[in-house]
Amino acid sequence: MSWSKLKQNLESFLSPALQGRVEYRATGYRYSPDKAGLCYIAVDKKNIFNMSDKTTLIKWYQTDQEIKNDAAIQIPISDEEIEAVRKESKGAIPEDRLQVIARSRKLTELSKEILAAQSALSKSNFTVVATKFLATPIDESLEGKDILLNILALMDRRLGKKRLLNMSEKMKLKHPIVQFFYELRVGKL
């Protein structure tokens, strides 16, 4: 599918509140060997989400530590997770430390997911993911781990107000750029 047709299809699915504010842009170079350029999403004429930005290399350890040490990240911990820590330690850990250990484990999982998504995102091809979005149900795009699919689904007009508001807890566990687009969409309700 050509870029102009893909862009037209994507913009036809934009929420009415976001039309005119959110744009899909691409640069292409005619004489480039692979003819691939840069794809990005602009909000209010500012490039917000660049799919192949070479200037923002991921600092793995630093990002991991920032996630683990951020007190603002609130992760729900279930009784089953605390019980699993208790069983692994065979009761040798004090009760107040069990929750700390369970939270630490969950934050480690979250940071690994975010870092894996960022590395996949830097290699992703916008047109391939956008074509996949147009062919899959919106539920799969919302529930999936792909950041770009999440963003495209959040901006979709088929996503209703009630469902959007009920997703606030799930959005806390998503990548910060997904959270940005969620806030952008909720702010226009």
Side-chain angles (χ1 to χ4, degrees):
M1 182 181 306
S2 70
W3 168 249
S4 58
K5 185 69 174 169
L6 180 64
K7 180 180 176 181
Q8 184 180 21
N9 283 342
L10 288 174
E11 288 179 349
S12 71
F13 281 106
L14 269 178
S15 167
L18 297 178
Q19 288 181 350
R21 289 192 66 203
V22 174
E23 295 178 77
Y24 302 104
R25 296 180 177 174
T27 58
Y29 302 101
R30 178 184 239 175
Y31 299 108
S32 177
D34 59 358
K35 293 188 180 178
L38 301 174
C39 294
Y40 50 92
I41 299 174
V43 177
D44 297 327
K45 308 284 184 205
K46 293 180 184 175
N47 296 348
I48 299 296
F49 186 53
N50 192 347
M51 267 51 88
S52 53
D53 188 3
K54 305 290 187 225
T55 62
T56 56
L57 294 174
I58 301 168
K59 298 176 184 173
W60 295 96
Y61 181 75
Q62 180 183 0
T63 305
D64 182 53
Q65 292 303 309
E66 286 173 0
I67 292 168
K68 288 180 180 178
N69 295 328
D70 189 357
I73 296 176
Q74 297 188 7
I75 295 195
I77 300 166
S78 66
D79 293 332
E80 294 85 27
E81 293 166 335
I82 293 174
E83 191 60 36
V85 173
R86 183 178 290 124
K87 285 181 182 178
E88 287 176 19
S89 66
K90 298 176 183 160
I93 299 175
E95 288 293 317
D96 58 332
R97 292 290 302 162
L98 290 175
Q99 189 167 6
V100 173
I101 293 170
R103 182 180 189 277
S104 175
R105 287 183 181 177
K106 205 148 185 190
L107 280 173
T108 299
E109 289 174 24
L110 175 66
S111 69
K112 285 180 182 178
E113 285 179 17
I114 288 174
L115 294 173
Q118 284 177 337
S119 68
L121 186 65
S122 66
K123 298 174 192 170
S124 72
N125 185 347
F126 180 80
T127 55
V128 171
V129 176
T131 305
K132 180 180 176 184
F133 167 73
L134 293 172
T136 58
I138 194 167
D139 295 332
E140 287 180 31
S141 298
L142 281 171
E143 299 298 325
K145 300 246 184 237
D146 192 323
I147 293 172
L148 187 54
L149 279 177
N150 292 161
I151 290 170
L152 293 173
L154 283 172
M155 294 189 297
D156 198 307
R157 62 180 157 83
R158 297 173 290 174
L159 187 60
K161 179 180 178 180
K162 184 176 180 181
R163 186 167 177 202
L164 195 62
L165 292 174
N166 289 337
M167 294 172 44
S168 64
E169 288 300 315
K170 286 183 184 178
M171 286 300 124
K172 290 180 182 177
L173 300 176
K174 295 282 187 180
H175 189 274
I177 194 70
V178 177
Q179 292 175 9
F180 171 82
F181 281 100
Y182 174 75
E183 293 298 325
L184 179 72
R185 178 73 193 274
V186 170
K188 290 295 170 185
L189 292 179

